[in-house]
Amino acid sequence: MAKQTKLTRADKDRLKASGYDSLVLEGAGGISTSPVWSKVADADSTDRILVIVELSGGNDGLNTVIPYADDAYYNARPNLGIRQKNLIEIDDHFGFQKTMTGFERLYKDGKMGIVHGVGYDQPSFSHFSSMAYWQTGAPNSGEAHGWLGRMADAIDPMGHNPNFLINVDDHQSLAVNAEHHVPLVFDDPNKFTRQMFEAEADVMAAVDRRGNGNGNGALDFLKEIAASASTSEQLVRDAWSSYSTPVDYGLAPWGLEKVAALIAADFPTRVYYVPYRNNAFDTHVYQKDPHARLWSYTSDHIAAFMQDMERLGRGEDIVLMAFSEFGRRVPENTSLGTDHGTAGPAFMIGNPIAGGHYGGVPSLSDLDDGNLKYTTDFRRIYSTLISGWMGHDGASTILNDDFAPIPIFRPAA
């Protein structure tokens, strides 16, 4: 069974109603005093969680959401084009790879919105540059903070909410880089601890036990960060070691099972960022079988996570968005793969999503030098998530421009 927190959400509500809103009810069920909690408790009471999945490498959208009813697709891909008999039809125009049974269930259950033609002006074909544009939400700008980091700063300007941002990776993504929040970044929960020499252990423990009021604000801040990190590391390890689930996360789990463990432990995190790493979707050569396997792992893993959220009673609280930094060119190449392109599909998944197709479907014949012409600026998705899911009305300030949200959420009951 999943770990049970020491206090239920109803217990926490009763404590706040009784005047104990100066207590921070920490993620794994512990309680610690905080003079700032009363200032942010009401503003931060939502249970909504945003999970972002990064499919690194540039996923081939045309062999993911397959336009089998369009002859131009097969004309451009005589070898790589997936024939109707070899795919999963989801309607009379589109289908998924045969390996994408997890996505099939989500789509046919009405829990997946497919946003077509997602891209941006003056696209970069560099993995590094294009991913940086997606992660900052600011193409060609040199923005230093990530879009999720800026969102965290806007929702909680003083950075009081503990562990607002978690990045499951072996290094921090630019997407969660913030001015007032320090993201929690880890890969293996069992090894999530500060590395030090044995002789340093007592000194570091003394630093963690220090009190405030040294008269040096900068030093106090750094010590607070160190102590918070030490506590968070232990909470992550405890959550992971206590977590078990009957849900099968697939043949190659790549991170969402760790998110599930923290959600089961009632972490206060609002945003999780999880990449499918190592440029896996960069399929220049002999794409067919590797791409099908990638989507078997991806589809099964995401579907399992959503199933686990239902099991935990959190299905209504979770929205997941999956994207890749660019799509691939429409024609196949001479190596039976595809090369860096422009627009591609993004996926928005969860019970709150009104399933179906969104955004204009790009033409496969009216191309820009062999590339799709994008129809949906990716920042419209960000605006949708900021305002429609996270409930913040300053999306235009976070994104430095106005981007019309996509009407993808179900009406409130």
Side-chain angles (χ1 to χ4, degrees):
M1 294 293 294
K3 176 179 179 179
Q4 298 297 313
T5 57
K6 297 176 184 177
L7 291 172
T8 67
R9 192 166 288 109
D11 291 333
K12 296 177 183 181
D13 291 341
R14 282 194 292 273
L15 278 171
K16 283 197 276 188
S18 301
Y20 290 95
D21 53 354
S22 63
L23 296 177
V24 173
L25 308 176
E26 290 183 350
I31 303 177
S32 65
T33 59
S34 170
V36 303
W37 176 248
S38 60
K39 300 177 184 177
V40 299
D42 291 337
D44 230 14
S45 60
T46 179
D47 292 325
R48 289 183 174 182
I49 294 171
L50 175 61
V51 180
I52 303 296
V53 168
E54 171 195 299
L55 306 175
S56 71
N59 175 55
D60 180 14
L62 291 176
N63 272 26
T64 305
V65 183
I66 303 157
Y68 71 86
D70 190 337
D71 289 340
Y73 166 69
Y74 296 107
N75 291 337
R77 299 184 171 200
N79 297 292
L80 281 185
I82 301 174
R83 302 293 165 175
Q84 185 175 356
K85 64 181 181 180
N86 295 323
L87 53 76
I88 301 170
E89 294 182 30
I90 59 173
D91 55 35
D92 60 4
H93 190 88
F94 292 105
F96 289 145
Q97 293 252 12
K98 272 282 180 69
T99 56
M100 295 174 65
T101 53
F103 266 32
E104 177 194 17
R105 290 194 302 273
L106 289 167
Y107 183 83
K108 292 185 175 178
D109 287 345
K111 299 179 180 181
M112 175 187 290
I114 302 171
V115 186
H116 292 276
V118 182
Y120 56 92
D121 279 328
Q122 301 177 10
S124 171
F125 298 98
S126 157
H127 292 294
F128 179 82
S129 296
S130 192
M131 187 62 82
Y133 297 162
W134 273 83
Q135 290 174 346
T136 59
N140 300 293
S141 72
E143 171 63 53
H145 296 112
W147 78 276
L148 294 169
R150 299 199 305 277
M151 182 183 74
D153 288 340
I155 293 174
D156 179 15
M158 299 302 292
H160 293 319
N161 189 20
N163 299 331
F164 191 108
L165 300 160
I166 285 184
N167 186 182
V168 180
D169 202 350
D170 57 7
H171 65 281
Q172 180 180 312
S173 168
L174 178 58
V176 297
N177 191 37
E179 184 175 0
H180 302 299
H181 289 263
V182 178
L184 195 61
V185 183
F186 70 90
D187 185 10
D188 183 346
N190 294 317
K191 299 178 181 177
F192 184 38
T193 186
R194 283 175 292 178
Q195 301 297 311
M196 67 186 77
F197 293 109
E198 184 177 359
E200 297 174 321
D202 289 343
V203 175
M204 293 303 297
V207 170
D208 290 346
R209 290 192 300 268
R210 99 291 167 253
N212 285 320
N214 293 324
N216 185 328
L219 182 59
D220 280 345
F221 174 75
L222 291 175
K223 289 179 177 179
E224 183 69 38
I225 292 296
S228 175
S230 180
T231 301
S232 298
E233 290 163 5
Q234 186 62 53
L235 291 175
V236 168
R237 293 196 299 272
D238 289 347
W240 181 245
S241 65
S242 300
Y243 182 66
S244 64
T245 177
V247 175
D248 180 0
Y249 272 81
L251 291 173
W254 41 266
L256 292 176
E257 75 283 10
K258 300 166 189 174
V259 174
L262 301 188
I263 291 173
D266 206 19
F267 258 64
T269 303
R270 300 287 307 282
V271 177
Y272 292 91
Y273 194 90
V274 186
Y276 196 123
R277 308 176 207 175
N278 301 320
N279 260 26
F281 287 86
D282 197 18
T283 51
H284 288 279
V285 179
Y286 298 114
Q287 171 182 301
K288 185 176 181 181
D289 290 341
H291 192 248
R293 283 196 299 273
L294 283 168
W295 271 106
S296 172
Y297 306 149
T298 302
S299 171
D300 286 351
H301 194 59
I302 291 175
F305 173 75
M306 302 311 298
Q307 181 186 349
D308 218 4
M309 294 302 97
E310 293 284 1
R311 182 186 67 87
L312 294 170
R314 301 300 303 272
E316 298 300 323
D317 301 333
I318 310 296
V319 164
L320 181 149
M321 190 275 283
F323 77 97
S324 197
E325 69 266 35
F326 45 60
R328 317 295 288 191
R329 288 173 60 81
V330 175
E332 63 185 48
N333 63 29
T334 56
S335 300
L336 298 182
T338 53
D339 296 322
H340 297 181
T342 52
F347 303 93
M348 297 179 69
I349 299 168
N351 289 355
I353 298 297
H357 297 278
Y358 296 86
V361 177
S363 170
L364 298 186
S365 53
D366 180 16
L367 304 177
D368 181 5
D369 190 27
N371 289 303
L372 297 173
K373 297 179 179 178
Y374 85 97
T375 60
T376 306
D377 192 298
F378 72 92
R379 288 163 291 186
R380 289 192 63 196
I381 296 176
Y382 293 178
S383 177
T384 303
L385 294 171
I386 293 167
S387 59
W389 184 242
M390 301 301 286
H392 186 72
D393 59 6
S396 60
T397 301
I398 294 169
L399 299 174
N400 301 311
D401 206 343
D402 288 314
F403 296 94
I406 299 167
I408 201 169
F409 293 106
R410 297 184 188 279

